[in-house]
Amino acid sequence: MRVAGGAIAKKLLAAANIHITGWVDQIGPVRVDADRFDADEIGRNPFFCPDAQAAGAMAAFMDELRKQGDSIGAGLTVEARGVPPGLGEPVFDRLDADIAKAMVSIQAVKGVEIGDGFSCIEAKGSEFGDAMRKRGFVSNHAGGVLGGISNGDVIRARLALKPTSSILKPRPTVDIHGNETEIVTKGRHDPCVGIRAVPIAEAMLALVLADHLLRQRASRLEG
């Protein structure tokens, strides 16, 4: 349902020259190497991974994990390019707040970063602030949103997805009578739900941006 709605939103955004791309950048300990990033590689492997070497490592890691009957978390990134400045509000309906809300509404998502997110904790203002020149911003630590409003740069969000609790390994639980016992979830379960979340994250970002774009257009109507 989300992806279907997002497909329509993407068409509306494409007409405004706004395009969205998502990818898996980490599965467990396996991370994408920024120096090997290739956007064309995203559609060539089942992991939506832009790094062919990392995709191979992910496949090997997932195969071993499946044999163990366990699951793992994942990190994914979603970007929107061509977003005009001015979308959003400074207090209520902030663009970054709406994006974060939309992403956390996806099952298994437990963390959302806008731009460089938590890396700002150790950064100085002289390092993290996105300075400006005539040609625009010289960096994009803020992820394309300043003061709740798009600044014309690339909108970027990163999601952290938890490992599913539906695993073959016995886990402590309590039965309907209050007795302590163990549970094993049988059947087919994905050892990493983060992989399937890429098109969903793209769809949710598209829906949020389409909503804000239509709001901006409506506010400019005369008469």
Side-chain angles (χ1 to χ4, degrees), residues 2 5-6 23 25 34 36 83 91 99 104 115 126 135 139 142 149-150 167-169 180 189 196 201 208 212 216:
R2 294 171 187 249
W23 63 89
D25 58 49
R36 296 194 298 263
V83 180
V91 182
I99 291 173
V104 174
S126 57
R135 68 178 186 278
S139 60
I149 301 172
S150 63
I167 58 177
L168 292 173
K169 285 191 172 183
E180 293 184 351
H189 298 279
R196 295 182 180 273
V208 171
H212 277 272
Q216 186 192 60

Side-chain angles (χ1 to χ4, degrees), residues 69-155:
D70 215 333
S71 62
I72 196 71
L76 67 88
T77 298
V78 61
E79 287 186 345
R81 295 180 178 272
V83 180
L87 300 188
E89 301 289 345
V91 182
F92 301 105
D93 297 325
R94 292 172 60 99
L95 181 59
D96 47 358
D98 281 352
I99 291 173
K101 179 181 179 181
M103 297 305 168
V104 174
S105 77
I106 301 172
Q107 295 90 329
V109 172
K110 286 299 180 182
V112 176
E113 287 185 316
I114 305 297
D116 289 340
F118 286 102
S119 64
C120 70
I121 297 172
E122 299 181 8
K124 297 178 181 178
S126 57
E127 302 167 334
F128 201 82
D130 293 320
M132 295 182 67
R133 289 300 187 198
K134 290 182 179 180
R135 68 178 186 278
F137 290 96
V138 298
S139 60
N140 189 24
H141 299 299
V145 184
L146 289 170
I149 301 172
S150 63
N151 63 9
D153 216 328
V154 177
I155 301 286

Side-chain angles (χ1 to χ4, degrees), residues 8-85:
I8 297 173
K10 283 183 177 181
K11 290 183 179 295
L12 186 152
L13 295 175
N17 202 31
I18 301 173
H19 301 281
I20 295 174
T21 304
W23 63 89
V24 170
D25 58 49
Q26 183 178 355
I27 292 181
V30 184
R31 295 173 177 264
V32 166
D33 187 329
D35 293 333
R36 296 194 298 263
F37 187 97
D38 180 5
D40 293 333
E41 182 63 28
I42 296 173
R44 295 176 186 155
N45 62 76
F47 299 99
F48 296 96
C49 181
D51 177 353
Q53 185 171 322
M58 289 176 180
F61 176 79
M62 292 294 292
D63 185 56
E64 182 60 30
L65 190 70
R66 188 177 294 105
K67 294 176 182 177
Q68 297 171 4
D70 215 333
S71 62
I72 196 71
L76 67 88
T77 298
V78 61
E79 287 186 345
R81 295 180 178 272
V83 180

